Amino acid sequence: MDGAATGGEVELDGLTKKYGTVEAVRGISLNIRRGEFLAILGPSGAGKTTLLNMLTGFEKPTSGAIRINGRDVARLAPHKRGIGVVFQHYALFKHMTVAQNVGFPLRMRGMSMREQRSHIQHALELVKLEGFAARFPDRLSGGQQQRVALARAIVFRPALLLMDEPLGALDKRLREHMRVEIKRLQRNLGATVIYVTHDQNEALTMADRVAVMNDGVVEQLGTPDDLYERPASAFVADFVGETNFFTGRAVLDADGRIRVVLDGDRPEHRREVENAASLRPGSGVEVGVRPEEVSLLPPEHAEHDQAPAVLGTVSDVLYEGATALHVVETPIGDLSARLSLKNLRETRWAVGDRVAVHWDARAARGYPAADRAS
């Protein structure tokens, strides 16, 4: 464990799992690069746990392949796959010391005691617990127990490290600290990590790429900024971050360009969206705009050459520290605008104020109306 990229290359090829007539995972194909940190993100019921269980070997695929460094392990027993696993609730042996817990995978592999001591010491140094070898789990904090679980998962130098909601049992401050520690450890090891979570902040801050799952499929695979700035579906836009959605229909204008007329908007306000070419004229659409892309101006600024505003009334202001979330009632629906308080020193909007709501066309994306049904 000298910092070189020791992780495995992982390929999921058409991976499917059926329970009777229900397809929990449907034909997932992914390539995970050596040393990559991939987050599997999605809500409950998306298929994340089933996918993880197939990777660990606790579930057998109905069809498809799981290849680690080119070897199909889909039909191998869990202990023969060379995979380290970190669970949400640690799964430490309470009757064993820290050193014994960490060394357990080595004993199962028949390693000599001399080699075990060296590996255990190194693993505990990596997770900064070298002085805790003789303690028992019930004498450790939650964060320390999680570090022991990490050390146990990496001590035998697995080709792949799986993490199943590993920070879910920790408080907010400790979760944020452990995110940094896990990412540091992954970089030091050069390990390949597949990290399963429903927490978008964990996925966006830790992963090299994120696979967003919904209803057994991967809706989008990309870097964190790809997912946030260019969500491929309304589901991704809604699940990753916050988004205002407005309903309307796509229209083909006389200049041959596709624009959107929003329900409740003035008919002459034919709005542009960044991905207009993907919309079908005459079809219903939802337009998504992030709260931080919305501007509030005095009502006299309602007309704008490039992006016409919609007039509304501030119904709530939620203080967030450096920002404030302004909720505005408008004819096209209620919307949220996240504004920097630093930029609002001279003008601060209050409940009841009339405002003109603007956003840049490049900040808006359109999706088929049924896209977010799930």
Side-chain angles (χ1 to χ4, degrees), residues 78-228:
H79 66 280
K80 294 183 178 180
R81 298 190 179 200
I83 296 174
V85 184
V86 182
F87 297 101
Q88 178 177 350
H89 297 290
Y90 322 136
L92 300 179
F93 299 109
K94 295 182 180 180
H95 64 285
M96 293 183 183
T97 64
V98 166
Q100 289 169 337
N101 267 283
V102 174
F104 183 77
L106 305 180
R107 293 195 297 277
M108 293 299 98
R109 286 164 172 78
M111 184 177 288
S112 70
M113 290 301 298
R114 181 178 179 181
E115 286 182 299
Q116 284 186 44
R117 284 192 292 270
S118 174
H119 280 65
I120 292 168
Q121 180 181 352
H122 194 188
L124 289 177
E125 288 173 356
L126 285 170
V127 299
K128 300 180 180 179
L129 284 179
E130 49 266 48
F132 292 76
R135 294 196 188 182
F136 287 89
D138 62 358
R139 305 298 295 174
L140 303 176
S141 68
Q144 290 167 342
Q145 290 184 47
Q146 187 59 277
R147 290 169 188 265
V148 175
L150 279 169
R152 183 178 61 187
I154 64 175
V155 71
F156 63 97
R157 307 177 187 182
L160 174 63
L161 186 60
L162 300 180
M163 298 189 178
D164 182 17
E165 305 276 5
L167 307 183
L170 305 180
D171 62 50
K172 181 177 183 295
R173 186 170 183 178
L174 189 52
R175 281 202 308 271
E176 292 172 351
H177 177 70
M178 286 301 297
R179 287 178 198 167
V180 176
E181 289 299 305
I182 289 173
K183 190 61 181 175
R184 175 193 63 81
L185 180 63
Q186 186 256 343
R187 288 193 180 118
N188 287 345
L189 294 174
T192 302
V193 172
I194 297 179
Y195 188 103
V196 175
T197 182
H198 69 276
D199 187 321
Q200 57 176 283
N201 290 328
E202 286 183 10
L204 296 179
T205 57
M206 298 174 70
D208 300 313
R209 288 190 300 164
V210 181
V212 181
M213 285 192 69
N214 180 38
D215 195 25
V217 300
V218 173
E219 289 246 346
Q220 187 172 357
L221 172 67
T223 62
D225 60 309
D226 280 338
L227 265 63
Y228 192 84

Side-chain angles (χ1 to χ4, degrees), residues 157-360:
R157 307 177 187 182
L160 174 63
L161 186 60
L162 300 180
M163 298 189 178
D164 182 17
E165 305 276 5
L167 307 183
L170 305 180
D171 62 50
K172 181 177 183 295
R173 186 170 183 178
L174 189 52
R175 281 202 308 271
E176 292 172 351
H177 177 70
M178 286 301 297
R179 287 178 198 167
V180 176
E181 289 299 305
I182 289 173
K183 190 61 181 175
R184 175 193 63 81
L185 180 63
Q186 186 256 343
R187 288 193 180 118
N188 287 345
L189 294 174
T192 302
V193 172
I194 297 179
Y195 188 103
V196 175
T197 182
H198 69 276
D199 187 321
Q200 57 176 283
N201 290 328
E202 286 183 10
L204 296 179
T205 57
M206 298 174 70
D208 300 313
R209 288 190 300 164
V210 181
V212 181
M213 285 192 69
N214 180 38
D215 195 25
V217 300
V218 173
E219 289 246 346
Q220 187 172 357
L221 172 67
T223 62
D225 60 309
D226 280 338
L227 265 63
Y228 192 84
E229 297 177 17
R230 293 169 291 277
S233 68
F235 173 83
V236 175
D238 196 27
F239 190 76
V240 180
E242 299 175 51
T243 302
N244 295 299
F245 286 101
F246 314 107
T247 60
R249 70 184 189 282
V251 296
L252 184 64
D253 274 352
D255 61 3
R257 300 181 67 177
I258 298 174
R259 293 182 173 84
V260 174
V261 177
L262 296 179
D263 295 340
D265 204 1
R266 293 166 61 181
E268 65 270 21
H269 286 174
R270 299 194 167 200
R271 300 178 181 273
E272 297 191 23
V273 295
E274 192 272 338
N275 60 332
S278 67
L279 303 178
R280 185 168 56 86
S283 64
V285 298
E286 283 190 295
V287 173
V289 182
R290 300 286 191 190
E292 62 269 23
E293 299 290 350
V294 177
S295 299
L296 303 183
L297 299 173
E300 56 267 27
H301 293 272
E303 294 302 324
H304 191 281
D305 290 342
Q306 299 300 320
V310 59
L311 291 173
T313 301
V314 178
S315 63
D316 210 346
V317 179
L318 306 176
Y319 178 74
E320 298 177 326
T323 60
L325 191 70
H326 293 66
V327 181
V328 184
E329 296 176 351
T330 79
I332 63 173
D334 291 356
L335 59 85
S336 297
R338 179 165 284 111
L339 306 179
S340 167
L341 292 179
K342 182 179 180 181
N343 297 332
L344 291 177
R345 285 176 177 170
E346 296 181 5
T347 304
R348 288 207 180 186
W349 303 110
V351 173
D353 285 347
R354 291 286 287 171
V355 292
V357 181
H358 283 276
W359 62 81
D360 191 284

